[in-house]
Amino acid sequence: MDFSSIGIILIGSTFGLILRIFIQNNLKKSIGFDIQNTSIVNFISSFFLGILVAVNFINNDILFLFYTGFLGCFSTFSSFIYQLFILLKKRKFLILFFHYIEVIFFSFFFFYLGYLIIQLF
């Protein structure tokens, strides 16, 4: 990996981090139950990933910018694991289970939706 690739990853990761912080600090949705902001970020990230997989970029600079840089910093897998850990410590096993299922199911759903949209066009 050369320095230009590292620069491209840094640019993508900067924008990914800024967008994630904005969403985590400014969005709070409730649709019968609360969806945590970290989950919203994971759903959006999965949707973008589905789109990028469907487009199937061959250019390494675009891959580094979006896959590694932007989505790497935008998605919040470590925050998701931390939330599960906090629920485990608080012994809220049912909420832990449903939160886990929610994130895995909806992340896959949004990934497939993004992929499907590109495949249809």
Side-chain angles (χ1 to χ4, degrees), residues 42-55 66-67 71 107 110-112 114-115:
N42 285 331
F43 302 155
I44 294 170
S45 178
S46 296
F47 181 74
F48 286 149
L49 183 60
I51 290 171
L52 292 174
V53 167
V55 171
F66 289 110
Y67 285 114
L71 289 178
S107 292
F110 282 109
F111 172 87
Y112 187 70
Y115 182 84

Side-chain angles (χ1 to χ4, degrees), residues 27-79:
L27 271 170
K28 187 64 177 170
K29 296 292 177 192
S30 179
I31 53 171
F33 57 92
D34 288 333
I35 297 176
Q36 296 184 8
N37 292 354
T38 302
S39 298
I40 293 171
V41 168
N42 285 331
F43 302 155
I44 294 170
S45 178
S46 296
F47 181 74
F48 286 149
L49 183 60
I51 290 171
L52 292 174
V53 167
V55 171
N56 195 19
F57 287 113
I58 296 175
N59 184 330
N60 280 340
D61 289 341
I62 293 174
L63 291 175
F64 286 144
L65 178 68
F66 289 110
Y67 285 114
T68 307
F70 181 79
L71 289 178
C73 277
F74 182 64
S75 64
T76 58
F77 184 73
S78 58
S79 297

Side-chain angles (χ1 to χ4, degrees), residues 43 55 71 73 80-81 83 100 104 110 114 118-119:
F43 302 155
V55 171
L71 289 178
C73 277
F80 167 61
I81 296 300
Q83 287 175 341
Y100 175 80
I104 298 300
F110 282 109
I118 296 302
Q119 293 297 310

Side-chain angles (χ1 to χ4, degrees), residues 102-117:
E102 164 204 12
V103 171
I104 298 300
F105 174 79
F106 283 112
S107 292
F108 181 76
F109 171 77
F110 282 109
F111 172 87
Y112 187 70
L113 182 65
Y115 182 84
L116 188 63
I117 287 171

